Amino acid sequence: MEAAAAVSPVRFKSNYAVSRKIEPFYTGGRVQITRDGKFMLCPCGTRLNVIDVETGAQRSLQQDDEEEITSFALSPNDEILVTGSRALLLKQWKWRENECVRTWRAVHMAPVASMAFDSTSTLLATGGCDSTIKIWDMIKQYCTHNLKGSSGVVHLVEFHPDISRLQLFSSSIDYKIRIWDLKSSKCVAALDGHFSAVTSLAFSDGNTLVSSGRDKICMVWDLKTRESKRTIPIYESVEAAILLPEKGDFSQLGVKKQGLHLVTAGSKGVLKVWEVATAACVFTQPMPFESKEEASERSLTQCMFVPARNEIITVSVEHNIVLYDAQTLQLRKQLAGYNDEVLDVKFVGPGDSHIVVATNSPQLKVFELATSHCQILYGHTETILALDVFRKGLMFVSCAKDKSLRVWRMNKDGRVTCVAQGLGHAHGVGAVSCSRLKENFIVTSSQDCTIKIWNIPESLTSKAKAALISSPETLHAKVTERGHNKDINSVAVSPNDKLIASGSQDRLAKLWSCSDCSLLGVFTGHKRGIWCVQFSPVDQVLATSSADGTLKLWGLRDFSCLKTFEGHDASVLKIIFVSRGAQLLSSGSDGLLKLWTIKTNECVKTLDGHEDKIWGLHSNKQDDMVVTASSDSCITLWKDVTEIEEKEAQAKQEEQIMKEQELSNLLHEKRYLKALGLAISLDRPHTVLMVVKAILKETDGRKHLEENIVRLRKDQKEAVLSFLVTWNTNSRNCHEAQAVIETLLKHEAPDELLQYSGIKPAVESLLPYTERHFQRLSRLLQASMFIDFMWQNMRLADAAPQEEVML
């Protein structure tokens, strides 16, 4: 270590900047995708987020009224976006420019629940919670129809794809599908067959309609006779049904014959393909999770076919958006719309290309940072509480409230599988730490106040053998030790794998031997429970953080407190060493991140990036990125910008020196206009004053000054105005200030002067001092007049005796 340190000195960090945020972008409702398949529109409370499907980058359309969006629709030509909010307003957007172009009252008595455009993008139908449907002409901007007769909330509206028919289909709480003739504004038919809410409508040719419902059936309707042709039992509550295109090879989905085929998405959480003619299920997607859990948690809420991407997109109750290959239903990409409270986060993968996130759920999420693709790992049955990663970054461990721990391995293509699980704790497992030198053991601690050491069999660590594992191996605890009298919040393994540290709610940190878990010593000094313990990567030092708002460093030899860092106003939840053990990063329950230099005991920087408790904090192997995760559902990636800022400061300094040199050259050459401009750009009031004085010293100085001031730009004149306010406060410089004021008043119209920024406070400051200067001049004039009078009298008195002599 010392040799390495001698080669390259430690670079102390001074600042981090947010390089990326993974925020909730979808909190429920209908999702829409553009026709080219590049962007996805997702409602998120008061915002509508536009997501780049490839990169996961997001931007928001923010409403002024801060009211929740209840419904929205994007026209088939991708040009017009309309949103409806709880404020009973409809807004039309140029969504690519983030610009709202029109706002009008929805004329509904209650919020708009559903919206749909016709195939020509000229008509918009809005279904309200007030049982009415309104149709709007988007070109001429007026309401063309007000359709009454539905019962309850109109949650589904859809135009017939053949616009020449001028038909609108709707469904409300009475489970009927109403057909409205827009020529007569009347309901011409009500298709009655469903016994629960109708969730989607799909048109095959001009005369066939397929409807899906929560009554676990799909119905095929003949629109000529307006009768039901067939009922397909689906055996699950159906949220969406889409028709597969007749062209295209769907043989891998069990499509063997010509004819209509349906894809259904519903409460079981998997896609199914149905042959309409025989009402037979020809393909069921394999389940990515164990079916022991409640179906409602896995339920799919939406399903769309996107021809431009040749993909089928599903949306789940848990706000996950999944893109499948349309021909095979193989998963291509998954985006997580909402993370809930984030409890822990770690960098994983080769080159720290991914992050693994424990949210307030039994599933782990693994995000690929480059594409935002999210894998969801099933296995735990209750909330995951903590994570840790082995040194190489390919294996990591999770522990949960279900009293278990699980070991996961990432393969070369980034896919993660569970390779082992350990059971044995009597309560939820709240903290975990991996061995540092080799991948050979794990330490866990629990609310049952025990510490357990688990050995990892060699079969898991060697890649060749690990590839052959089909089901997770069962791990058994090698050692169990009752460590504390209260919950153990944190455990850590030393860099040499010989020591274990634990921190507990009982305000104590303890040091244990790794081989037999025997107690080596106790660290006492914190006034409240300890949240985190960490070993220094280079020194024989342990860092602890506590609910008393302090961080402490302890010597491992004598268990004494070496340093205390005070600065947090709330509990310090996590700490990590950075800069090769020379600095500390700490995160608090107030959402603040603090960077400390150990040698000087000072807080170098406080970073505010979260609204709530920061539970997760981890640095990458390169030590130039940090990831934080918080209860506010946000995951923030921070980049070390110390070097960039130092270079910028240096470049600025060099530029300043160059400009100063140039300024002195210009003054020497008497090129006053350029000198004036340069001094203003350097923001140097005194230098500008020197230039003005130099101009006034010249012959015809007043005239030259006038010429130079007039030729300045408006922003430069504004700067000079702010400077001369300061000059005018000093009697030595008031003449120069007054000369410039005179020029400005002479050459600028009053209306133009009023447009100057800061003109009001400038005039308010100039008036009292100018009055004082004039009073001084008046006194001076009076005094000079008196002297003149005295002088005249003295001369007269002298002259009188001389005249007498002459006489």
Side-chain angles (χ1 to χ4, degrees):
M1 264 306 172
E2 285 173 14
V7 173
S8 60
V10 174
R11 287 191 73 90
F12 283 90
K13 300 177 194 313
S14 62
N15 197 7
Y16 285 92
V18 174
S19 73
R20 181 164 170 213
K21 269 193 167 192
I22 299 172
E23 293 180 282
F25 63 81
Y26 170 60
T27 53
R30 240 181 90 215
V31 168
Q32 261 194 274
I33 196 155
T34 55
R35 198 170 52 174
D36 58 13
K38 287 183 179 172
F39 296 98
M40 197 154 42
L41 298 158
C42 305
C44 185
T46 60
R47 306 191 313 271
L48 187 68
N49 289 318
V50 181
I51 310 297
D52 185 316
V53 177
E54 287 308 313
T55 63
Q58 69 182 72
R59 57 189 174 81
S60 294
L61 304 178
Q62 184 78 47
Q63 299 194 111
D64 304 330
D65 53 19
E66 288 292 323
E67 286 285 345
E68 195 175 324
I69 291 172
T70 56
S71 182
F72 78 95
L74 180 67
S75 61
N77 63 5
D78 288 350
E79 291 306 313
I80 307 169
L81 172 71
V82 176
T83 60
S85 71
R86 286 197 183 280
L88 309 184
L89 295 174
L90 295 174
K91 288 176 186 281
Q92 184 178 330
W93 301 81
K94 277 186 182 171
W95 61 273
R96 289 183 177 91
E97 288 90 43
N98 281 26
E99 184 191 343
C100 178
V101 289
R102 187 162 75 101
T103 302
W104 72 100
R105 285 186 59 231
V107 205
H108 285 280
M109 303 303 291
V112 174
S114 55
M115 280 190 205
F117 274 94
D118 74 334
S119 54
T120 63
S121 303
T122 53
L123 295 177
L124 172 74
T126 57
C129 294
D130 59 357
S131 315
T132 66
I133 300 166
K134 309 266 192 283
I135 294 179
W136 308 86
D137 186 319
M138 296 307 291
I139 310 297
K140 295 177 183 168
Q141 304 186 352
Y142 71 102
C143 179
T144 61
H145 298 72
N146 181 15
L147 308 176
K148 294 178 180 175
S150 302
S151 57
V153 175
V154 182
H155 60 261
L156 189 62
V157 286
E158 205 74 59
F159 281 95
H160 192 287
D162 180 0
I163 194 61
S164 62
R165 295 197 184 191
L166 280 174
Q167 282 184 340
L168 179 78
F169 292 72
S170 74
S171 184
S172 61
I173 275 170
D174 61 3
Y175 317 139
K176 290 175 183 168
I177 300 164
R178 285 184 169 75
I179 305 174
W180 304 84
D181 178 20
L182 301 185
K183 290 171 189 157
S184 63
S185 297
K186 288 196 172 114
C187 175
V188 291
L191 309 181
D192 197 352
H194 284 282
F195 295 98
S196 189
V198 178
T199 51
S200 74
L201 301 174
F203 297 89
S204 160
D205 47 39
N207 294 316
T208 306
L209 168 71
V210 178
S211 62
S212 68
R214 293 199 180 118
D215 50 6
K216 306 188 178 183
I217 59 167
C218 284
M219 297 189 77
V220 184
W221 305 87
D222 185 332
L223 294 180
K224 277 185 181 170
T225 61
R226 292 169 185 161
E227 295 291 326
S228 164
K229 285 205 293 192
R230 179 167 280 102
T231 299
I232 305 168
I234 306 292
Y235 310 111
E236 65 173 316
S237 179
V238 188
E239 292 296 326
I242 56 168
L243 292 164
L244 282 178
E246 302 217 353
K247 291 174 184 171
D249 174 23
F250 296 99
S251 56
Q252 286 180 276
L253 303 183
V255 177
K256 301 285 188 280
K257 302 173 194 168
Q258 287 291 311
L260 276 187
H261 284 80
L262 275 181
V263 179
T264 60
S267 57
K268 287 187 180 169
V270 290
L271 295 175
K272 293 179 181 178
V273 183
W274 302 81
E275 190 175 36
V276 172
T278 59
C281 177
V282 293
F283 181 84
T284 303
Q285 209 180 12
M287 284 195 178
F289 43 81
E290 293 163 35
S291 55
K292 287 184 286 186
E293 295 173 44
E294 279 187 39
S296 61
E297 289 197 6
R298 299 280 152 267
S299 180
L300 299 175
T301 58
Q302 203 183 332
C303 183
M304 299 170 280
F305 177 66
V306 184
R309 299 181 68 87
N310 192 30
E311 285 176 348
I312 288 173
I313 296 179
T314 66
V315 182
S316 78
V317 167
E318 291 188 320
H319 311 110
N320 299 321
I321 299 164
V322 190
L323 289 71
Y324 295 104
D325 184 297
Q327 262 75 36
T328 61
L329 288 189
Q330 291 292 312
L331 190 146
R332 277 194 188 168
K333 187 164 189 174
Q334 184 161 235
L335 297 167
Y338 185 67
N339 283 325
D340 202 1
E341 204 173 330
V342 189
L343 301 179
D344 208 353
V345 64
K346 292 281 187 281
F347 282 104
V348 291
D352 296 323
S353 55
H354 297 64
I355 53 171
V356 58
V357 180
T359 61
N360 194 8
S361 84
Q363 287 85 48
L364 276 174
K365 290 177 181 170
V366 179
F367 289 91
E368 187 180 354
L369 293 174
T371 63
S372 295
H373 171 55
C374 171
Q375 284 175 72
I376 294 178
L377 308 180
Y378 298 92
H380 286 287
T381 54
E382 285 187 60
T383 304
I384 296 162
L385 298 173
L387 302 164
D388 200 20
V389 186
F390 286 99
R391 194 171 54 114
K392 291 177 185 170
L394 294 173
M395 257 172 62
F396 59 93
V397 186
S398 60
C399 60
K401 274 186 183 173
D402 60 11
K403 308 172 194 173
S404 75
L405 69 100
R406 281 181 178 260
V407 183
W408 309 82
R409 175 183 278 284
M410 182 182 279
N411 62 16
K412 282 179 185 173
D413 63 2
R415 286 193 57 237
V416 178
T417 49
C418 180
V419 291
Q421 65 168 331
L423 293 161
H425 278 289
H427 288 84
V429 187
V432 63
S433 185
C434 299
S435 54
R436 296 284 163 239
L437 290 176
K438 291 180 180 176
E439 298 175 341
N440 56 0
F441 69 90
I442 301 160
V443 180
T444 59
S445 66
S446 161
Q447 290 168 338
D448 60 15
C449 306
T450 65
I451 296 166
K452 286 181 187 281
I453 301 174
W454 312 74
N455 276 351
I456 295 178
E458 220 175 286
S459 58
L460 292 187
T461 53
S462 67
K463 285 182 188 172
K465 290 175 186 171
L468 302 172
I469 294 169
S470 56
S471 61
E473 277 195 36
T474 304
L475 302 180
H476 299 285
K478 178 182 78 167
V479 185
T480 301
E481 185 66 45
R482 184 176 168 82
H484 292 266
N485 296 325
K486 288 187 180 175
D487 292 4
I488 300 171
N489 292 328
S490 176
V491 285
V493 177
S494 64
N496 63 1
D497 283 353
K498 288 181 179 172
L499 302 170
I500 296 167
S502 61
S504 164
Q505 212 59 39
D506 64 6
R507 300 181 289 192
L508 302 176
K510 293 185 179 182
L511 192 68
W512 312 83
S513 165
C514 226
S515 54
D516 56 356
C517 215
S518 57
L519 184 64
L520 301 175
V522 181
F523 304 95
T524 54
H526 279 294
K527 294 184 177 71
R528 295 183 72 182
I530 292 172
W531 276 113
C532 187
V533 291
Q534 279 292 356
F535 283 98
S536 165
V538 288
D539 299 312
Q540 292 193 359
V541 165
L542 181 76
T544 59
S545 70
S546 164
D548 62 14
T550 65
L551 291 79
K552 287 181 185 285
L553 288 184
W554 311 82
L556 296 182
R557 288 194 173 145
D558 56 0
F559 307 105
S560 62
C561 179
L562 305 175
K563 280 177 186 270
T564 300
F565 300 88
E566 293 179 352
H568 279 280
D569 294 329
S571 299
V572 188
L573 301 175
K574 276 274 161 77
I575 39 170
I576 55 168
F577 282 90
V578 291
S579 313
R580 291 204 212 127
Q583 288 180 298
L584 280 166
L585 259 177
S586 60
S587 68
S589 60
D590 52 4
L592 296 178
L593 201 62
K594 285 183 183 281
L595 177 66
W596 310 83
T597 299
I598 292 171
K599 195 174 183 180
T600 59
N601 243 52
E602 68 168 326
C603 175
V604 182
K605 192 79 182 174
T606 299
L607 304 163
D608 188 358
H610 290 281
E611 303 294 319
D612 209 339
K613 300 179 185 74
I614 302 175
W615 287 112
L617 173 64
H618 194 225
S619 173
N620 67 349
K621 294 187 202 81
Q622 294 273 303
D623 200 22
D624 61 353
M625 290 276 283
V626 164
V627 63
T628 55
S630 162
S631 297
D632 62 7
S633 303
C634 286
I635 299 156
T636 307
L637 286 143
W638 304 82
K639 194 176 189 317
D640 174 13
V641 291
T642 308
E643 214 169 318
I644 299 164
E645 285 186 351
E646 280 173 5
K647 281 179 183 170
E648 279 176 4
Q650 199 177 338
K652 224 175 188 179
Q653 204 176 344
E654 285 170 8
E655 192 186 351
Q656 199 88 344
I657 293 163
M658 294 288 286
K659 280 186 175 177
E660 281 173 13
Q661 183 58 50
E662 192 185 341
L663 185 65
S664 70
N665 294 346
L666 290 169
L667 286 171
H668 188 69
E669 293 163 18
K670 298 190 178 179
R671 289 162 64 191
Y672 294 124
L673 181 66
K674 258 199 160 183
L676 208 56
L678 193 58
I680 293 165
S681 73
L682 283 167
D683 197 26
R684 294 278 183 82
H686 184 69
T687 314
V688 175
L689 179 63
M690 292 299 104
V691 176
V692 171
K693 282 188 173 178
I695 296 170
L696 288 172
K697 275 179 190 170
E698 297 285 306
T699 47
D700 282 342
R702 209 58 182 258
K703 191 181 166 190
H704 285 313
L705 179 68
E706 210 168 295
E707 286 168 2
N708 284 316
I709 296 289
V710 167
R711 286 164 69 188
L712 292 175
R713 295 192 312 270
K714 188 190 171 194
D715 62 316
Q716 291 176 320
K717 286 177 185 171
E718 285 173 353
V720 170
L721 182 66
S722 67
F723 296 162
L724 65 83
V725 169
T726 313
W727 305 342
N728 197 48
T729 59
N730 192 326
S731 57
R732 286 183 202 161
N733 309 324
C734 66
H735 300 292
E736 289 78 9
Q738 293 298 327
V740 176
I741 293 168
E742 185 192 353
T743 306
L744 288 172
L745 290 171
K746 207 189 276 185
H747 292 276
E748 296 286 321
D751 291 345
E752 283 176 25
L753 276 172
L754 285 168
Q755 299 300 315
Y756 279 26
S757 70
I759 185 74
K760 197 181 173 198
V763 170
E764 283 172 359
S765 304
L766 285 167
L767 282 172
Y769 281 102
T770 304
E771 278 176 23
R772 195 183 293 177
H773 297 321
F774 273 109
Q775 283 168 6
R776 199 178 70 251
L777 286 170
S778 301
R779 288 197 300 274
L780 194 65
L781 197 63
Q782 283 172 3
S784 64
M785 291 289 283
F786 181 69
I787 289 166
D788 196 36
F789 172 72
M790 290 287 289
W791 170 245
Q792 290 295 334
N793 278 357
M794 283 166 71
R795 281 179 62 192
L796 287 168
D798 279 354
Q802 283 178 8
E803 281 171 15
E804 281 173 21
V805 169
M806 285 176 77
L807 285 168

